[in-house]
């Protein structure tokens, strides 16, 4: 009896399912898939525009006051084509699909999944301004995570079961140990004890451990001071992603990408009622690119979110016109700190697209799923030069912040 060899369709579909199961951070974010790229011949570098829901101010009284509907979008550039290259024999193709998946696909696809997650967590760290905890010290109190969740509440994140807490292994171990004596259902504590991980649905979040959580190396400038003139801040009148802030330093220093700062008198507001939230909390801003700040004069630093003081997308209220408003960094000691993250699904988006299927190969297949928001290609070709049959597994993807205010970093 002849062997039933695995087909390219079976392999690519199995590879896509393995990828879905291997993703950790990426499984908790908004995902978009575009099936037009390979059809239209688009190449790497093309951009998807992911829509953001509009916002309205509303009007008091009986008179009609029609507002413009400003539906904004976030460009997601598909800049990364990542692939794993290997080779398997006809004997491999004669295996059962389960055996083939365990031996060949899972190790290959695990590398793809880890690359996607690592890139996503790097993007999230560099675009999330809200931050809690203490750099260099894993948090032991659940209050730290609840405070992160409170930031999401204050930014209008719905409590719809789509909140996640992504932690690196040592942070996860610390919080599980710290909570073991709390009065909670015994079955929950039992599961945490057995697995060494927080319960899947604890403190209003879906907890996941991800070894790809990235570190932030905060700028080192202890003892130095920063200030800005609030009248010269780059204020936006409509929706924007970034603003420019002119900073003056007491001595030369460098702000690293991912550092966060607060400006005296610049308070965060609720996105729906436009009033300062909490007890008048200052708005945090994240530095979008590493910038050297010179002594005296002034250095323009690009920060996110944009500083919007009015209109449908207002996110701050400025209560001072000081020419020397104090700028306070979250950390200025050069500490290296894992950046765990609490987020709503809509905080970030992962976009994937189809890669073209080449001609003249042994086989080429592509599996995609709009519901999963993923696409993957597998190509196999005979190489006459060395009598081998290499195989490659490819993905084309890009990351972007969608609503980064719906996330909060937890420093450890």
């Amino acid at each position: 009896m002849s062997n039933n060899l695995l087909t390219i369709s079976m392999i690519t579909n199995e590879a896509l399912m393995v990828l879905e199961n291997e993703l950790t951070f990426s499984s908790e974010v908004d995902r978009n898939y575009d099936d037009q790229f390979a059809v239209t011949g688009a190449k790497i570098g093309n951009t998807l525009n992911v829509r953001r829901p509009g916002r309205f101010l509303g009007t008091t009284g009986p008179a009609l006051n029609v507002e413009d509907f400003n539906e904004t979008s976030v460009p997601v550039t598909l800049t990364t084509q990542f692939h794993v290259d290997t080779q398997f024999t006809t004997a491999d193709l004669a295996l059962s699909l389960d055996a083939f998946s365990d031996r060949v696909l899972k190790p290959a696809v695990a590398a793809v999944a880890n690359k996607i997650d690592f890139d996503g967590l790097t993007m999230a760290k560099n675009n999330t301004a809200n931050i809690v905890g203490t750099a260099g010290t894993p948090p032991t109190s659940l209050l730290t995570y609840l405070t992160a969740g409170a930031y999401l509440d204050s930014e209008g994140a719905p409590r719809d079961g789509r909140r996640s807490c992504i932690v690196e292994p040592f942070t996860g171990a610390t919080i599980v140990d710290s909570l073991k004596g709390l009065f909670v259902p015994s079955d929950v504590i039992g599961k945490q004890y057995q697995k060494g991980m927080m319960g899947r649905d604890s403190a209003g979040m879906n907890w996941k451990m991800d070894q790809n959580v990235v570190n932030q190396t905060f700028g080192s400038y202890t003892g130095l001071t920063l200030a800005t003139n609030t009248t010269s801040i780059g204020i936006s009148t409509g929706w924007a992603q970034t603003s420019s802030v002119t900073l003056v330093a007491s001595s030369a220093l460098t702000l690293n990408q991912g550092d966060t700062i607060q400006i005296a008198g610049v308070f965060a507001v609720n996105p729906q009622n436009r009033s300062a939230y909490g007890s008048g909390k200052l708005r945090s801003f994240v530095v979008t690119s590493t910038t050297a700040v010179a002594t005296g004069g002034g250095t323009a630093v690009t920060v996110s979110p944009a500083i919007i003081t009015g209109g449908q997308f207002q996110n701050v209220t400025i209560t001072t016109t000081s020419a020397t408003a104090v700028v306070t960094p979250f950390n200025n000691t050069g500490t290296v700190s894992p950046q765990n993250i609490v987020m709503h699904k809509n905080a970030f988006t992962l976009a994937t697209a189809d890669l073209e299927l080449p001609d003249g190969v042994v086989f080429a297949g592509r599996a995609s799923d709009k519901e999963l928001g993923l696409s993957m290609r597998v190509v196999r070709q005979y190489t006459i030069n060395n009598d081998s049959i290499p195989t490659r597994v490819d993905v084309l993807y890009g990351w972007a912040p969608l609503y980064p205010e719906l996330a909060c970093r937890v420093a450890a």
Side-chain angles (χ1 to χ4, degrees), residues 54-68:
R55 283 179 177 159
F56 295 94
L57 291 171
T59 302
T60 300
L64 182 68
N65 181 25
V66 177
E67 296 181 47
D68 292 333

Side-chain angles (χ1 to χ4, degrees), residues 26-42:
S26 304
S27 68
E28 299 297 319
V29 303
D30 175 78
R31 293 191 298 210
N32 289 269
Y33 158 68
D34 194 318
D35 59 1
Q36 296 300 307
F37 276 55
V39 175
T40 59

Side-chain angles (χ1 to χ4, degrees), residues 5 25 48-49 73 116 123 132 155 177 179 185 207 247 279 281 295 322 331 359 375 391 393 397 404:
L5 298 181
F25 171 75
L48 298 176
N49 287 306
S73 63
I116 294 173
M123 176 279 307
V132 297
E155 297 287 358
D177 179 68
L179 300 182
W207 291 70
L247 299 183
S279 56
K281 292 188 178 297
T295 305
S322 172
N331 181 281
D359 296 324
S375 177
T391 303
V393 178
Y397 66 92

Side-chain angles (χ1 to χ4, degrees), residues 125-275:
K125 184 265 292 184
N126 289 335
N127 286 277
T128 301
N130 293 327
I131 188 168
V132 297
T134 302
T137 304
T140 59
S141 171
L142 188 60
L143 178 60
T144 304
Y145 298 93
L146 294 175
T147 302
Y151 273 100
L152 271 61
D153 291 329
S154 298
E155 297 287 358
R159 285 184 171 267
D160 54 2
R162 300 196 297 174
R163 295 187 181 192
S164 302
C165 180
I166 311 297
V167 296
E168 54 89 27
F170 294 99
T171 302
T174 299
I175 188 63
V176 170
D177 179 68
S178 299
L179 300 182
K180 65 180 182 293
L182 289 184
F183 183 74
V184 295
S186 59
D187 62 327
V188 175
I189 288 294
K191 290 177 182 177
Q192 291 180 181
Y193 175 78
Q194 291 171 351
K195 295 182 178 181
M197 296 176 61
M198 286 291 289
R200 181 172 176 81
D201 186 12
S202 301
M205 319 170 203
N206 179 22
W207 291 70
K208 285 194 172 183
M209 186 272 290
D210 196 328
Q211 299 94 327
N212 294 299
V213 168
V214 296
N215 291 332
Q216 171 67 18
T217 302
F218 290 97
S220 180
Y221 39 91
T222 301
L224 307 183
T225 59
L226 278 169
T228 188
N229 188 334
T230 55
T231 63
S232 64
I233 290 176
I235 295 173
S236 299
T237 56
W239 182 78
Q241 287 184 291
T242 62
S243 285
S244 178
V245 177
T246 300
L247 299 183
V248 177
S250 61
S251 186
L253 56 87
T254 298
L255 290 170
N256 291 338
Q257 182 183 31
D259 283 359
T260 66
I261 60 173
Q262 293 181 332
I263 303 171
V266 181
F267 293 93
V269 301
N270 181 282
Q272 297 300 331
N273 59 32
R274 282 85 184 175
S275 61

Side-chain angles (χ1 to χ4, degrees), residues 20 60 107 386:
E20 164 67 6
T60 300
N386 56 10

Side-chain angles (χ1 to χ4, degrees), residues 30-104:
D30 175 78
R31 293 191 298 210
N32 289 269
Y33 158 68
D34 194 318
D35 59 1
Q36 296 300 307
F37 276 55
V39 175
T40 59
K43 303 297 182 183
I44 297 173
N46 278 283
T47 301
L48 298 176
N49 287 306
V50 180
R51 287 194 299 271
R52 293 162 42 101
R55 283 179 177 159
F56 295 94
L57 291 171
T59 302
T60 300
L64 182 68
N65 181 25
V66 177
E67 296 181 47
D68 292 333
F69 177 58
N70 294 316
E71 186 178 57
T72 59
S73 63
V74 173
V76 185
T77 304
L78 305 182
T79 55
T80 304
Q81 180 180 351
F82 186 74
H83 51 96
V84 172
D85 309 321
T86 183
Q87 59 186 19
F88 48 85
T89 66
T90 53
D92 293 326
L93 295 179
L95 297 170
S96 70
L97 184 58
D98 287 345
F100 179 83
S101 181
D102 287 339
R103 280 191 51 192
V104 180

